[in-house]
Amino acid sequence: MIRINDLQARVEEKEILSGINLEINPGEVHAIMGPNGSGKSTLSSVIAGREDYEVTGGTIDFEGEDLLNLDPEERAHKGIFLSFQYPVEIPGVTVSNFIKTAINESRKGRGEEPMEAREMLAKMREKTALLEMDKSYLSRSLNEGFSGGEKKRNEIFQMAMLEPKLAILDETDSGLDIDALRIVANGVNKLRSEDNAVLVITHYQRLLDYIEPDFVHVLYNGKIVKSGDKNLALELEAKGYDWIKEENV
Amino acid sequence: MSDEILDEITASEYKYGFTSDIESDKVPPGLNEDVIRLISSKKNEPEWMLEWRLDAFRTWSEMIEPDWPNVTYNKPNFQAISYYSAPKQTKTLDSLEEVDPELLKTFEKLGISIDEQKRLTGVAMDVVVDSVSVATSFKETLAEKGIIFCSMSEAIQEHPELVRKHLGTVVPKRDNFYAALNSAVFTDGSFCYIPKGVHCPMELSTYFRINEAGTGQFERTLLVADKGSYVSYLEGCTAPSRDENQLHAAVVELVAMEGAEIKYSTVQNWFPGDAEGKGGVFNFVTKRGICERNSKISWTQVETGSAVTWKYPSCILKGDNSVGEFYSVAVTNKFQQADTGTKMIHLGKNTKSTIISKGISAGKSHNSYRGLVRVGPRAENARNFSQCDSLLMGNQCGAHTFPYIEAQNPSAQIEHEATTSKIGEDQIFYCNQRGIGTEEAIALIVNGYCKEVLNQLPMEFAVEAQKLLEVSLEGSVG
Ligand SMILES: Nc1ncnc2c1ncn2[C@@H]1O[C@H](COP(=O)(O)OP(=O)(O)O)[C@@H](O)[C@H]1O
Ligand SMILES: [Mg+2]
């Protein structure tokens, strides 16, 4: 589905990603772990198309297309979704209006008709129920005054509404209590299918207990320095990152 | 709906920039007592009206054009303006079929087909084109309730006692330079009277429009809500593009008698000038309402147009327990300049006022909020809350806030909040990531920012206002 090849990126003259290689196939769940500042959010932003990051080398191929040539909204239309580490507030814009606009703009981008109001409403009901959100969420201003946990849950709600092919979850678990974590993880699992993939960025095993990864990668200093199966995450949990750092001085 | 919006956003020229060929009956340019006599006689006015005009003219002749607003412009040459222009139409019309087809086409281009509006929204409209009302509808329904809604010219003929009693009581002839000029030369406008205890069953609406090149527009609106009555009034404008600046100096007077409520909503979209800032409308308007005991006046305005806007819809809270509200969105883009705000004059006890002002500046424009809250010595327990927010897009525009507070009673409670913000790249990227393109994202963010004001507008007007915001901010990111 996505093939990242020798990706290099910088921000303000500083190289942050220095040769990332990663391939994700439909149906797979990949986890990326790594110390703070290693470039995890940068990688997700570059995949999503944030312009602040300058891609200085390498390629990203998404379903046979050169992703780096597309605007962020075009990438979204093709089915890339990023659950932000720090979701932004948009005062005065309700959650329901925002998601309605997002869905219909994406549909338009794909040359499809807008979703019927009735279908939209039914879907919103279904997904708020799935994520055990109160319906009053829908009429609140997007992320304004939301707690950390509410913001993250709202990201997953949007994901559930948009049904992306590739969902990147950037530390979606931080800020969630144990119940919320289970609910959110359950929401993600409901989305999983043969046709889509999930890239989970996290520091903690506890999320991976719910969303079981097929592959685990360690990102350090802008490079994937180690890859393995789900046992690598357990090893990291037990030993911390120091041994990785020592191996890569 | 969003398809249309995108189309409109991508169409860069001013959408309503066209002229229609309606035959006009026009007075030669210039202003003197003879011209005023000519206007008055063309309109077949009674003697008292002519005298009123002449008195205003003499006052005006001795006044000096003010220059305190935070705007710069080439002052109009008052002798180069033609003060009267009416579409050539002699008989009164009963149906749309009788209206000049050219005119109907004009409405079509504007997207305000009267038929549609009538059918869909139940709005009665008094359409003003080039200073003279040409079509009035729903009159009968209104008449059943004793409501009078007609052109000012008609009111002067048919209801002289009401006009004479109230005209100039809220905005006196000598109030200011432009009000005096308007009083001398106004050619038409709207008149509305709601009898005691009557709740007006529909939104009353007027579309103003400047059509004739070089014709100054001097509309005069007088709205009287008798004791315990209610009315919601909508005023909306579009104007065709022009090379030379056009002057618009309207006067709007509202009278809310004891226990009455008036909601006055405006969507203003005069031609703002081209990309270089040339050719836009000068909008110098005096709008004011007076509140008797227990009454309420609420002004809501969405200002997107004009090259230079200068207006302060105000409330004189004369009666005890009266309430004044001002909700405003003012957008400036390119080279537009706006100096707008309100005056809340608290005279009665327990009077309350609320001011919510949302300024949006883009391009090289300047947007000023200027507001006065005055609490008189006898206004025990007067309260005011003001919130003035500015949103900047890009870094070549300016936002300015001039709040004036004069409290002459120690029990007054006055709260003022002000914020300035920018649309963040974070917000735009977040929207982009969800599939929403940048222009759409800005529209969404701006609409959210203005929500408190847009919520005050009647539904169908709110939709129109949202579209306007989007169109007027088109091309402002880059
Ligand atoms: N917009 C930016 N401007 C400057 N430095 C940045 C920016 N974004 C990220 N960085 C730097 O890049 C490095 C990687 O950051 P990030 O990708 O957020 O790491 P992680 O998500 O793994 O914690 C850090 O040193 C961070 O300070
Ligand atoms: Mg991060």
Side-chain angles (χ1 to χ4, degrees), chain A residues 3 26 41 43 55 65 82 101 117 132 151 206 211 222 245:
Chain A
R3 186 181 294 126
S41 293
L43 176 62
V55 175
E65 205 166 347
L82 171 60
T101 309
E132 301 183 24
K151 285 184 183 169
R206 54 174 204 168
I211 308 173
K245 291 182 185 168

Side-chain angles (χ1 to χ4, degrees), chain A:
Chain A
M1 173 181 288
I2 191 167
R3 186 181 294 126
I4 301 173
N5 192 15
D6 194 26
L7 183 70
Q8 296 150 45
R10 56 166 66 188
V11 61
E12 290 165 6
E13 306 295 299
K14 183 178 152 201
E15 185 167 82
I16 296 174
L17 302 181
S18 23
I20 302 270
N21 293 294
L22 181 66
E23 185 170 349
I24 302 175
N25 294 308
E28 292 177 353
V29 174
H30 289 238
I32 292 188
M33 305 181 83
N36 289 327
S38 57
K40 302 182 298 294
S41 293
T42 303
L43 176 62
S44 44
S45 298
V46 169
I47 297 173
R50 185 155 196 155
E51 276 170 16
D52 307 359
Y53 300 92
E54 189 196 348
V55 175
T56 49
T59 56
I60 305 180
D61 175 292
F62 185 74
E63 301 202 306
E65 205 166 347
D66 179 4
L67 201 64
L68 295 174
N69 272 337
L70 301 178
D71 288 336
E73 61 270 25
E74 293 172 321
R75 300 182 196 199
H77 301 162
K78 300 224 176 288
I80 290 180
F81 178 90
L82 171 60
S83 166
F84 284 69
Q85 185 174 0
Y86 305 107
V88 304
E89 298 180 5
I90 307 186
V93 177
T94 59
V95 171
S96 60
N97 187 22
F98 183 76
I99 197 66
K100 189 182 96 189
T101 309
I103 286 179
N104 284 336
E105 287 299 303
S106 295
R107 287 185 161 221
K108 191 160 83 182
R110 294 191 291 262
E112 299 164 11
E113 289 296 304
M115 188 181 280
E116 292 216 10
R118 207 149 33 95
E119 193 187 341
M120 183 82 73
L121 210 65
K123 199 164 178 172
M124 285 189 196
R125 283 220 190 90
E126 181 200 328
K127 303 303 182 187
T128 44
L130 172 69
L131 292 163
E132 301 183 24
M133 297 160 79
D134 193 275
K135 273 195 279 302
S136 63
Y137 257 108
L138 294 172
S139 43
R140 285 173 68 183
S141 271
L142 189 74
N143 290 323
E144 200 184 22
F146 282 28
S147 71
E150 284 174 329
K151 285 184 183 169
K152 295 304 176 69
R153 201 184 289 210
N154 185 244
E155 293 291 284
I156 300 306
F157 165 71
Q158 292 181 43
M159 182 193 81
M161 290 294 294
L162 287 161
E163 299 175 333
K165 285 187 185 151
L166 174 65
I168 306 167
L169 313 184
D170 191 356
E171 295 200 26
T172 300
D173 52 342
S174 47
L176 294 181
D177 62 35
I178 303 165
D179 289 336
L181 183 74
R182 182 181 42 77
I183 294 160
V184 161
N186 181 39
V188 174
N189 285 331
K190 278 266 158 61
L191 176 83
R192 289 179 61 179
S193 78
E194 302 274 281
D195 304 319
N196 54 39
V198 185
L199 178 61
V200 188
I201 295 171
T202 182
H203 286 299
Y204 305 106
Q205 174 60 34
R206 54 174 204 168
L207 178 66
L208 303 179
D209 287 341
Y210 292 107
I211 308 173
E212 206 173 289
D214 301 298
F215 300 94
V216 175
H217 312 277
V218 181
L219 188 64
Y220 180 60
N221 269 345
K223 269 195 160 127
I224 290 180
V225 294
K226 209 168 188 62
S227 295
D229 62 12
K230 62 184 177 185
N231 292 314
L232 177 56
L234 293 168
E235 199 178 348
L236 286 166
E237 177 98 335
K239 297 207 275 185
Y241 292 120
D242 284 350
W243 62 285
I244 300 275
K245 291 182 185 168
E246 276 157 29
E247 276 178 19
N248 291 280
V249 271

Side-chain angles (χ1 to χ4, degrees), chain B residues 32-194:
Chain B
N32 51 49
E33 292 202 6
D34 288 342
V35 167
I36 288 167
R37 282 176 213 283
L38 183 64
I39 293 171
S40 193
S41 78
K42 264 185 180 289
K43 300 178 74 63
N44 204 18
E45 286 178 351
E47 185 63 22
W48 63 265
M49 196 64 245
L50 173 63
E51 283 310 318
W52 201 86
R53 289 176 179 279
L54 288 172
D55 182 47
F57 174 72
R58 286 167 202 141
T59 305
W60 176 76
S61 310
E62 282 158 23
M63 292 172 108
I64 303 165
E65 210 178 339
D67 54 12
W68 51 264
N70 190 24
V71 296
T72 46
Y73 60 96
N74 289 325
K75 296 196 170 171
N77 176 358
F78 295 100
Q79 296 305 335
I81 293 172
S82 160
Y83 287 87
Y84 183 77
S85 147
K88 271 191 183 143
Q89 218 158 39
T90 40
K91 54 181 195 300
T92 359
L93 304 170
D94 299 320
S95 77
L96 286 177
E97 281 87 71
E98 296 175 48
V99 175
D100 185 339
E102 264 301 304
L103 188 57
L104 290 179
K105 252 192 251 161
T106 302
F107 290 137
E108 235 167 77
K109 284 192 223 168
L110 286 168
I112 50 160
S113 140
I114 302 178
D115 260 332
E116 271 291 290
Q117 294 272 355
K118 273 202 263 185
R119 199 170 51 78
L120 292 175
T121 62
V123 170
M125 295 193 296
D126 176 32
V127 183
V128 180
V129 169
D130 266 272
S131 324
V132 172
S133 302
V134 290
T136 306
S137 49
F138 276 91
K139 250 187 173 160
E140 279 113 85
T141 322
L142 296 175
E144 275 168 28
K145 300 230 167 207
I147 295 168
I148 302 166
F149 180 39
C150 62
S151 70
M152 186 58 90
S153 328
E154 193 180 332
I156 290 167
Q157 305 297 330
E158 308 291 329
H159 310 280
E161 67 301 332
L162 278 173
V163 175
R164 213 172 165 178
K165 184 170 169 200
H166 296 286
L167 191 72
T169 58
V170 191
V171 179
K173 282 173 278 191
R174 55 187 64 246
D175 189 81
N176 67 64
F177 184 83
Y178 287 103
L181 178 62
N182 175 289
S183 302
V185 302
F186 75 85
T187 42
D188 215 334
S190 298
F191 174 79
C192 175
Y193 172 78
I194 317 291

